[in-house]
Amino acid sequence: MQVYKYDTETGEYLSPVELQKNPKRAGEYLIPPANTTPTRPPNAGENQAAVFDTSLNRWVLTDDYRGREYWLPDGTFQKVENIGEALPKEALDQPPPPSESEKYAALLAQRNDWLTGSDWFVQRHGDELALGMDTTLTAQEYKEIQQWRQALRQLPQQYPDSDSWVWPAVPAVLKGEQ
C-alpha cells in the first residue's frame, strides 16, 4: 500500500511512501509515517505544486514560481521565494527600458566621469606652465583636450534629448595614441 508524504511547513507533495506490511497481522500495514495521506495528489501543471491542506484534509493545486526572477515596471528586481506566491500581472521577464530621465542621468554621469578623468591633464599642464617648465602636452594637444572638454559640457544644451547625444571624439593624447 502507498501513502503520499508532504512537507510539514509548506504542505508540498514530496514523494510516495510504500507502507510495510504488519508482520504480526496479515492484511494490515504498519502505521504510516507522519505527514502522509492515503489520498493520491493531483498532477501539477507548469508552475503549480500539489499542496496538502490539512484544514481541508485534501490536496490543492497552488502557484509555484519559486526561483523565478522578474522585474516590476518601476525597475525593481524581484525573485519568488515561496510556494503559493503568484507572479504579479505586471511582472516583466527583463528589466524595463530606462526612462528618459534615467538615460539622461547615465549620460551626464558618463560625461562627468570623462571630465573628471581628464582634470589631471589640465592641472598638470597648468602646473608645468606656472613653474616655467617644459609642458608634457604640446600646445595643440592641450587645445584639443580643452575643446573636447568644452564640447562635453555643451552636450546637454545642444542635445537635451538623451537619444540624440553624439559624443565628441576623444583626443588621441587621452587615448594613449601618440
Side-chain angles (χ1 to χ4, degrees):
M1 177 176 175
Q2 234 177 24
V3 292
Y4 303 92
K5 186 166 184 68
Y6 54 90
D7 185 273
T8 57
E9 290 180 29
T10 65
E12 178 183 13
Y13 169 64
L14 297 175
S15 65
V17 175
E18 194 66 40
L19 293 181
Q20 301 297 315
K21 290 184 178 185
N22 188 335
K24 296 182 180 179
R25 294 187 176 181
E28 289 186 16
Y29 293 88
L30 296 176
I31 298 173
N35 304 321
T36 61
T37 179
T39 308
R40 182 182 190 91
N43 291 329
E46 186 175 354
N47 299 315
Q48 289 185 322
V51 172
F52 192 75
D53 186 328
T54 54
S55 66
L56 299 173
N57 199 35
R58 69 180 174 94
W59 292 102
V60 293
L61 290 176
T62 189
D63 290 329
D64 188 7
Y65 291 95
R66 287 175 291 179
R68 173 85 181 270
E69 297 177 344
Y70 65 93
W71 288 262
L72 294 175
D74 68 1
T76 56
F77 173 78
Q78 305 287 319
K79 185 174 182 179
V80 178
E81 301 289 340
N82 301 307
I83 195 168
E85 190 177 327
L87 287 176
K89 286 184 176 29
E90 67 272 14
L92 304 169
D93 289 332
Q94 57 189 1
S99 67
E100 275 303 308
S101 62
E102 290 170 330
K103 287 193 283 187
Y104 190 74
L107 291 170
L108 284 178
Q110 176 64 61
R111 184 219 41 194
N112 293 342
D113 285 349
W114 282 348
L115 287 170
T116 301
S118 62
D119 281 348
W120 77 274
F121 282 93
V122 174
Q123 184 66 46
R124 179 185 63 189
H125 189 78
D127 291 349
E128 289 169 345
L129 286 174
L131 292 170
M133 300 171 56
D134 289 338
T135 58
T136 307
L137 298 173
T138 67
Q140 181 60 33
E141 288 170 334
Y142 180 73
K143 182 178 178 182
E144 287 173 9
I145 290 172
Q146 290 293 36
Q147 289 171 333
W148 174 73
R149 288 167 55 88
Q150 185 58 32
L152 287 175
R153 287 186 198 99
Q154 291 173 344
L155 273 174
Q157 291 79 32
Q158 290 175 338
Y159 306 104
D161 175 12
S162 61
D163 286 334
S164 62
W165 279 29
V166 178
W167 294 107
V170 178
V173 69
L174 293 180
K175 292 194 262 181
E177 300 171 8
Q178 295 179 1

